[in-house]
Amino acid sequence: NKHLIPNVITYTVALSACEKGRQWKRALHILFHEMPLRAVEPNGITYSNAIATCEICGQTALALQIYRRACSRGFFQSIRRSINLIDLHDLVVPVAKIAVRAAVEDLQEKICFNDNCDISYELTVITGQGIHSEGGESVIKPAIIALCQDHSNWHGLHIQCKEYNSNPGRLQLTMIPTLFSLSSSESEEGGDGTDNDGNAPVASSL
């Protein structure tokens, strides 16, 4: 219908189609050009669709940018319980992964701002147990574990992911700065790159 005026619902549906079609450039055009041009304000689902599109297309930096923009406009406020605790309930997997990335970055920045870049720090992630998911199993939890275990995702960090035995709906992430990890390893070996017997370690692949 040529008289149909696009609104937030039609644009949100269009962004959902972009996600399914992996059209991240089209998604950016809709969010940052077409919607402002028609003075249409995005809602939480609009942002979620745009973030998910960029994340599944490997455009992590753009997804983070959109996520932070949404947060600055009052969306996703229920995610951040505190600097050390986030709740991923009600998020789709791609957005949950971006929320974890943002939380890790924020915590890392706060720690380093206080000149404590050489210490480890922790983040608790509420993933839920998947009670409302298809099959009754969490889809967010394994996705976050996989995200943390892929070290290529983290610059200057090694992240250890631990499941809570008492609460299967939570994960504890321990973030260890890479330099701190290396220096600790050297200290255990002898401080000069040798083991306690003065032998040089055998190189191993990561």
Side-chain angles (χ1 to χ4, degrees):
N1 189 333
K2 65 180 180 180
H3 299 297
L4 178 65
I5 300 176
N7 57 27
V8 66
I9 295 175
T10 56
Y11 281 126
T12 299
V13 171
L15 285 167
S16 178
C18 290
E19 178 186 350
K20 292 179 174 64
R22 297 178 178 267
Q23 300 292 322
W24 64 272
K25 290 183 180 180
R26 175 62 179 151
L28 293 181
H29 185 76
I30 290 173
L31 184 64
F32 293 116
H33 178 72
E34 292 187 21
M35 295 185 72
L37 188 64
R38 293 184 177 272
V40 177
E41 288 293 327
N43 59 26
I45 301 175
T46 311
Y47 279 120
S48 180
N49 289 348
I51 294 166
T53 301
C54 291
E55 199 281 332
I56 65 175
C57 291
Q59 302 297 319
T60 305
L62 289 172
L64 274 166
Q65 178 184 341
I66 298 171
Y67 175 79
R68 293 192 182 283
R69 180 187 180 98
C71 290
S72 70
R73 297 191 173 193
F75 298 101
F76 304 125
Q77 295 302 302
S78 62
I79 294 175
R80 181 59 62 85
R81 298 283 189 88
S82 71
I83 189 67
N84 297 98
L85 175 64
I86 59 172
D87 188 344
L88 305 181
H89 275 105
D90 302 323
L91 295 181
V92 295
V93 170
V95 180
K97 291 165 68 175
I98 293 301
V100 169
R101 286 181 181 274
V104 169
E105 284 187 1
D106 291 345
L107 187 55
Q108 185 179 22
E109 182 179 344
K110 180 178 177 63
I111 295 296
C112 288
F113 181 78
N114 293 322
D115 295 325
N116 290 319
C117 290
D118 59 345
I119 66 171
S120 62
Y121 41 100
E122 295 180 349
L123 174 69
T124 298
V125 180
I126 302 173
T127 62
Q129 300 181 39
I131 296 175
H132 302 293
S133 300
E134 185 176 351
E137 294 185 4
S138 174
V139 293
I140 291 180
K141 183 177 178 180
I144 300 306
I145 292 175
L147 176 72
C148 295
Q149 290 177 341
D150 185 350
H151 301 314
S152 66
N153 290 315
W154 312 104
H155 177 68
L157 282 179
H158 173 77
I159 298 184
Q160 297 176 346
C161 186
K162 179 181 178 181
E163 300 182 52
Y164 280 83
N165 293 328
S166 60
N167 188 340
R170 290 191 175 209
L171 295 171
Q172 178 179 295
L173 310 187
T174 301
M175 285 149 280
I176 306 171
T178 304
L179 293 177
F180 175 65
S181 179
L182 290 174
S183 63
S184 296
S185 176
E186 290 178 355
S187 176
E188 292 174 0
E189 292 171 348
D192 59 354
T194 64
D195 60 21
N196 292 329
D197 295 324
N199 300 315
V202 177
S204 61
S205 59
L206 295 178

